[in-house]
């Protein structure tokens, strides 16, 4: 019991600290670009037009909604993570994070300044009324596929590193293995990011909010259609990095719509 409480408290703290980053990432993922490109320098010192990064985006949100605006959708996310930790159910946790507690929907409301999903229980009723029971699990399939692939990559790389790169006679063997596990986890998350992106887009797809409807987002019949559309436009990594963001190739920025088309 004590271990579970400790895990819940630790998870809660990390969730609170990381929530503004996730909030901004979700808005970028659905294509919301409220700030126009600016002339800056890349990592090589060359002048290029770049999209505003994390801090500029956060400053824009706080200017409109105050500092509390960066934590929109935090309460349902905490509920989802805590319940998932207590019952030790990855499927339940992923399902709730996708839509069950309306985490993404609460965030995406920022785009159209809507208040359709204002509370956990009222939002659950709205989703069930409009989309039925399957609406609670929108975006679940690509998220599960990404998790399975990520787990397989981590285990395979960890096995290769521990077998062929690490000698049992080395000092601090435990620390080295933990470090290798963290590195493989980061590498796996980079490779499986497209699944996370597609999952989040499908969670808000055709949800009745401005961020889930044209012009900000296309309406996709299935997650496969969403994957193909992003792949054709070269947007499979959209939102992956919030620093040194480059302009989408072949796109024009629409100031009035705050997006690229």
């Amino acid at each position: 019991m004590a271990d579970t409480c400790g895990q819940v408290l630790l998870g809660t703290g990390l969730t609170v600290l990381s929530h503004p980053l996730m909030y901004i990432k979700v808005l970028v993922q659905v294509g919301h670009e409220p700030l126009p490109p600016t002339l800056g320098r890349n990592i090589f010192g060359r002048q290029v037009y770049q999209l505003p990064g994390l801090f500029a985006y956060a400053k824009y949100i706080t200017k409109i909604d105050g500092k509390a605006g960066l934590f929109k959708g935090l309460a349902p996310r905490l509920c989802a993570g805590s319940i998932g930790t207590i019952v030790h159910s990855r499927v339940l946790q992923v399902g709730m994070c996708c839509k069950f507690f309306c985490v993404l929907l609460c965030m995406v409301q920022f785009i159209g300044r809507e208040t359709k999903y204002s509370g956990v229980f009222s939002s659950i009723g709205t989703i069930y009324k409009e989309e039925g029971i399957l609406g609670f699990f929108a975006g679940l399939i690509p998220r599960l596929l990404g998790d399975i692939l990520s787990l397989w990559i981590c285990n395979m790389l960890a096995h290769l590193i521990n077998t062929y790169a690490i000698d049992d006679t080395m000092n601090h063997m435990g620390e080295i293995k933990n470090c290798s596990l963290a590195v493989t986890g980061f590498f796996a998350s980079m490779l499986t990011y497209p699944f996370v992106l597609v999952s989040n887009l499908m969670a808000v797809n055709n949800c009745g909010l401005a961020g889930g409807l044209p012009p900000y987002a296309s309406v996709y019949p299935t997650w496969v259609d969403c994957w193909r559309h992003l792949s054709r436009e070269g947007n499979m990594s959209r939102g992956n990095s919030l620093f040194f963001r480059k302009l989408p190739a072949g796109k024009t920025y629409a100031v009035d719509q705050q997006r690229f088309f």
Side-chain angles (χ1 to χ4, degrees), residues 247-260:
L247 272 65
K251 298 290 185 178
T252 302
Y253 182 73
V255 178
D256 56 335
Q257 297 180 9
Q258 298 183 333
R259 70 178 184 96
F260 285 91

Side-chain angles (χ1 to χ4, degrees), residues 233-256:
E233 294 194 340
N235 284 329
M236 296 302 293
S237 61
R238 186 171 67 192
N240 189 24
S241 174
L242 297 179
F243 300 96
F244 302 106
R245 301 174 57 215
K246 61 181 181 179
L247 272 65
K251 298 290 185 178
T252 302
Y253 182 73
V255 178
D256 56 335

Side-chain angles (χ1 to χ4, degrees), residues 41 73 125 227 235:
R41 295 185 180 274
W227 183 288
N235 284 329

Side-chain angles (χ1 to χ4, degrees), residues 121-138:
F121 297 106
S122 62
S123 299
I124 291 176
T126 301
I127 294 174
Y128 182 78
K129 181 180 179 180
E130 295 184 356
E131 304 181 47
I133 191 66
L134 294 180
F136 295 119
F137 301 98

Side-chain angles (χ1 to χ4, degrees), residues 19 22-24 26-27 30 61 65 68-77 96-124 127 200 203-204 207 209 211:
H19 189 78
M22 178 185 176
Y23 185 20
I24 296 173
V26 168
L27 293 178
V30 298
I61 294 177
D65 288 343
L70 290 172
F71 297 93
K72 187 176 296 183
L74 176 61
R77 187 182 173 203
M96 287 186 297
C97 285
C98 281
K99 200 168 183 180
F100 187 74
F101 278 116
C102 319
V103 178
L104 299 178
L105 298 179
C106 291
M107 295 177 176
V108 173
Q109 288 185 135
F110 176 81
I111 297 175
R113 314 304 299 157
E114 296 138 311
T115 58
K116 181 178 181 180
Y117 299 95
S118 56
V120 175
F121 297 106
S122 62
S123 299
I124 291 176
I127 294 174
N200 288 349
V204 301
C207 62
L209 299 176

